[in-house]
Amino acid sequence: MKSTLKKTLYFLFLFFLFSCDSNPRSSLIYLFSKDKSQVITVFSNYYENERIVALGKLNVKPKNDYVKLDISEVTELGDEIGVCWFGKEKGWQLVSDQSKIVEVHLDTTKYIIKTEWYREDNTPNAKYYRRTGCFTIDMLKHSTIHPSVNGYIERH
């Protein structure tokens, strides 16, 4: 009887261990400008080291208006995005540090994707993305934006 109970508990433990999402990073987020007139959808597939940055609020990966990034060199603790909003007519700039651009299906004269932080004294620095109209966000599930008054985020 004890052996059967132990086996049952062991299998239940394994079931819960593998059925829970153990990845502490968000796989789908929406980034909103302060006035909510602009939104960017970010799909991150950490198993395939892929990130899709798309225009608008989407639930599925788009066929156009997106950039595909390779995030294989992005570490969990270094997985941070910065965005600056330039207005609905002028677009935005987004950085995903240490990523690599794989595909571009986006108007790059209006929407700018960077793969490195700006540098200050040759050191990567997120300061540019923490000024008025901009913010940074760690991709860890319970992180907040910095500065918090410059926009909104929804995680799914």
Side-chain angles (χ1 to χ4, degrees):
M1 178 79 175
K2 285 185 179 181
S3 176
T4 305
L5 181 61
K6 280 184 180 180
K7 286 180 183 178
T8 303
L9 290 174
Y10 178 74
F11 285 116
L12 283 173
F13 172 75
L14 287 177
F15 172 76
F16 285 115
L17 180 68
F18 289 110
S19 66
C20 296
D21 182 12
S22 61
N23 195 328
R25 299 188 276 184
S26 295
S27 58
L28 173 60
I29 63 170
Y30 301 111
L31 307 174
F32 293 92
S33 60
K34 184 175 183 174
D35 64 2
K36 293 195 174 182
S37 66
Q38 296 180 86
V39 61
I40 300 169
T41 300
V42 180
F43 298 95
S44 298
N45 183 333
Y46 296 103
Y47 301 107
E48 294 182 16
N49 291 314
E50 172 185 283
R51 175 166 289 150
I52 303 290
V53 177
L55 292 180
K57 187 173 182 180
L58 308 171
N59 294 329
V60 295
K61 291 182 183 176
K63 295 187 188 312
N64 53 29
D65 292 332
Y66 73 93
V67 172
K68 181 178 178 180
L69 302 172
D70 173 347
I71 57 171
S72 60
E73 300 297 317
V74 178
T75 63
E76 186 175 306
L77 291 177
D79 196 4
E80 183 176 15
I81 289 176
V83 63
C84 284
W85 308 96
F86 302 132
K88 199 166 187 169
E89 298 302 315
K90 294 184 180 180
W92 43 256
Q93 176 177 300
L94 181 138
V95 63
S96 178
D97 193 45
Q98 299 301 311
S99 62
K100 295 178 188 96
I101 296 174
V102 176
E103 293 177 27
V104 178
H105 303 278
L106 193 64
D107 177 357
T108 56
T109 63
K110 188 173 180 179
Y111 306 105
I112 301 163
I113 302 288
K114 295 181 60 63
T115 58
E116 292 181 355
W117 295 112
Y118 285 105
R119 294 182 170 270
E120 190 172 288
D121 298 325
N122 208 25
T123 303
N125 189 321
K127 183 169 63 174
Y128 176 87
Y129 295 95
R130 292 186 177 154
R131 59 190 175 105
T132 301
C134 306
F135 63 79
T136 62
I137 180 67
D138 289 331
M139 295 302 286
L140 295 173
K141 287 187 178 179
H142 301 291
S143 299
T144 58
I145 65 173
H146 302 286
S148 61
V149 296
N150 286 352
Y152 305 92
I153 182 172
E154 285 181 21
R155 295 180 187 271
H156 295 272

